[in-house]
Amino acid sequence: MTTSMTLAAARRHIADAISKSEQLGIKVCIAVVDSGAHIVAFERMDGAFLGSVDIAIKKARTSALFPLESGQLGALIRSEQLTGFELSNENLMGFNGGVPIFAGDNQIGAIGISGGSAVEDLAIARAALG
C-alpha cells in the first residue's frame, strides 16, 4: 500500500481534476501536496485566474494539515467562533476546494482546486480522488 504521495499519483489526480473541470467548462489551478503540506505537483490550466494559484495551494495545504475538506474546516472555524484560526500555518483556506487524500486509513496528501465556484471546486477535487 502507498504510504506517501508520489509524483505519479499526483499527476493522476491532476489528470482527473482536469478531466472534470473540462467537463464543467471551467479553468482551474490544481495543487497536490504530500502529508507534510509540501507541493508535489501543480498545474494552472490555460485561462485560469492568476489569483487562483495561491488559493489552490493554500486549500491543499489546509486539507493536508487538518485532515478535513477545507470547507468543513471553515464551517468548524465559524461554528466554534475560532476567530483568527485561518491565519495560522501561513494562512489557511476555509472554503470548498481542498480535499485530503488517503491510502486506506493513512493520509498521504491533499489536493486543492481554485478557479470555479465553491461547489465546482469541491466537485473537481472530489472527482480527482479517482
Side-chain angles (χ1 to χ4, degrees), residues 4-117:
S4 62
M5 178 60 65
T6 65
L7 179 57
R11 287 178 173 160
R12 285 191 300 276
H13 291 301
I14 286 173
D16 289 344
I18 289 171
S19 178
K20 181 65 173 180
S21 66
E22 287 174 342
Q23 181 183 50
L24 295 173
I26 59 175
K27 307 296 184 189
V28 297
C29 292
I30 307 152
V32 178
V33 299
D34 63 18
S35 60
H38 302 285
I39 292 179
V40 176
F42 180 87
E43 291 277 338
R44 182 174 70 88
M45 295 175 70
D46 293 339
F49 298 119
L50 293 175
S52 292
V53 170
D54 185 55
I55 295 170
I57 293 167
K58 287 181 179 173
K59 286 180 182 182
R61 289 188 76 252
T62 297
S63 287
L65 295 170
F66 300 93
L68 299 168
E69 291 182 352
S70 57
Q72 292 172 328
L73 182 63
L76 181 65
I77 291 168
R78 290 184 294 279
S79 72
E80 297 300 317
Q81 300 178 356
L82 300 172
T83 304
F85 186 89
E86 68 280 0
L87 301 176
S88 71
N89 295 285
E90 300 176 24
N91 296 318
L92 303 172
M93 288 289 155
F95 47 93
N96 285 338
V99 176
I101 300 171
F102 290 89
D105 292 334
N106 184 35
Q107 184 180 1
I108 61 170
I111 189 165
I113 307 294
S114 181
S117 69

